[in-house]
Amino acid sequence: MNMTNEEKGCVRSTKNLRVCVSGGHCDGKDPAYVEECYKMGAKIAKMGFRLDYGFSNSGVMGAVARGVLDNWRERQDKYYGDVTPIVGVTTREYYELYEKDEVLQQISEVVVEDTLENRKIKLLEADIVVFAPGGVGTLDELAYDCVAMQDGFLQIKPFILFNINGYFHHLVEYLKNIAAEGFADPVPFIIVDDSKEMGIVFRLLKLRYKKGKTGAEVYAAVRQLIYELPYFVKKKVDNTIFVEHI
């Protein structure tokens, strides 16, 4: 008899929410970019989320993958069951480009799309999207996500700007100005400055995650989370205090 995921004990619900991370394939000048993204990967694993990413072993993207891979096995029985922690999404050209080192060899689930466009579509099907510091490729995926949600091609969802060292400051001001000048609806983004805040946001999303039917619903939920975030950051003074108990 075939068992459902619920019967196996690996209930999808919010345990295996899919988190797409888009970011650079370079380290950046400040070591904080790689360090903070590694910690974010660790938090993804600790929450029982799945990482959808562009199948890279370098830069901040490689750091996120290593963070997941180094931390998921001790939580396999609790969260994952027979579900893999990482899905790599790439194209044939990129798949053949990368040398398969110890990081990529541990990623058993790889989706190979025929075009970059389809790769973006597949990645952005995730429940939550995080944009980490990166180059024009990251900017392209962020713009695509905004347009696709605005035009109804993708489910409207919260996305997070991992604003390490204030990296996205100018972009945030630009996005706000677009809405203020009436060229687009407000974008439901959450600004997170470090991995500690990221962990709190992940926990809040896990507790409250619900797909909104309209942009207004998602935007309202994100505004509420942003409003409450400083309170949770202030209350969570150390690792013995959990967001769920605040």
Side-chain angles (χ1 to χ4, degrees):
M1 181 179 71
N2 292 328
M3 298 177 67
T4 65
N5 281 342
E6 287 78 7
E7 291 168 331
K8 293 176 183 175
C10 51
V11 180
R12 166 72 165 68
S13 63
T14 55
K15 289 199 297 186
N16 294 135
L17 282 177
R18 292 167 56 198
V19 180
C20 167
V21 179
S22 175
H25 296 281
C26 298
D27 292 351
K29 291 184 177 180
D30 191 327
Y33 294 125
V34 167
E35 292 167 3
E36 286 294 297
C37 285
Y38 176 88
K39 292 176 183 177
M40 174 173 62
K43 291 182 184 299
I44 288 172
K46 291 174 182 178
M47 295 300 299
F49 295 163
R50 299 184 78 195
L51 171 65
D52 289 8
Y53 90 125
F55 196 63
S56 174
N57 56 3
S58 61
V60 301
M61 295 307 300
V64 175
R66 288 193 297 275
V68 173
L69 291 170
D70 289 348
N71 289 274
W72 82 279
R73 289 196 181 279
E74 60 192 85
R75 295 162 180 84
Q76 183 172 2
D77 291 340
K78 181 177 180 181
Y79 288 131
Y80 291 100
D82 57 0
V83 176
T84 57
I86 298 179
V87 178
V89 183
T90 187
T91 64
R92 175 63 58 188
E93 291 81 4
Y94 280 115
Y95 183 80
E96 294 174 351
L97 179 65
Y98 291 121
E99 180 180 350
K100 307 305 183 290
D101 63 1
E102 72 280 0
V103 173
L104 298 186
Q105 288 175 357
Q106 294 182 66
I107 300 172
S108 59
E109 190 169 347
V110 181
V111 177
V112 180
E113 295 289 351
D114 55 348
T115 65
L116 285 172
E117 176 85 0
N118 288 337
R119 172 182 174 272
K120 281 188 285 192
I121 292 172
K122 184 65 177 178
L123 283 168
L124 295 173
E125 287 175 354
D127 300 299
I128 302 164
V129 181
V130 179
F131 293 98
V136 292
T138 304
L139 183 61
D140 173 58
E141 290 180 359
L142 192 155
Y144 184 92
D145 191 17
C146 291
V147 172
M149 286 195 299
Q150 174 184 278
D151 293 346
F153 300 125
L154 283 177
Q155 173 74 41
I156 298 172
K157 68 198 74 176
F159 72 80
I160 301 169
L161 297 178
F162 199 7
N163 195 37
I164 304 167
N165 290 344
Y167 185 81
F168 287 111
H169 171 71
H170 295 92
L171 179 62
V172 168
E173 293 304 311
Y174 177 64
L175 291 173
K176 288 164 62 178
N177 192 57
I178 289 174
E181 294 295 330
F183 286 102
D185 293 332
V187 178
F189 60 83
I190 303 165
I191 302 171
V192 173
D193 293 326
D194 55 43
S195 55
K196 177 185 176 182
E197 288 187 6
M198 185 69 77
I200 293 173
V201 168
F202 280 162
R203 285 190 175 274
L204 288 173
L205 288 172
K206 183 173 183 176
L207 286 169
R208 304 176 181 179
Y209 186 83
K210 182 177 69 172
K211 289 186 177 180
K213 295 181 180 179
T214 67
E217 288 180 356
V218 177
Y219 185 68
V222 167
R223 281 182 62 88
Q224 182 65 28
L225 189 151
I226 293 170
Y227 177 78
E228 296 176 355
L229 182 58
Y231 172 80
F232 284 95
V233 171
K234 183 177 180 180
K235 287 289 186 179
K236 185 172 169 52
V237 294
D238 58 50
N239 290 332
T240 64
I241 298 176
F242 298 96
V243 168
E244 293 84 345
H245 301 154
I246 296 176

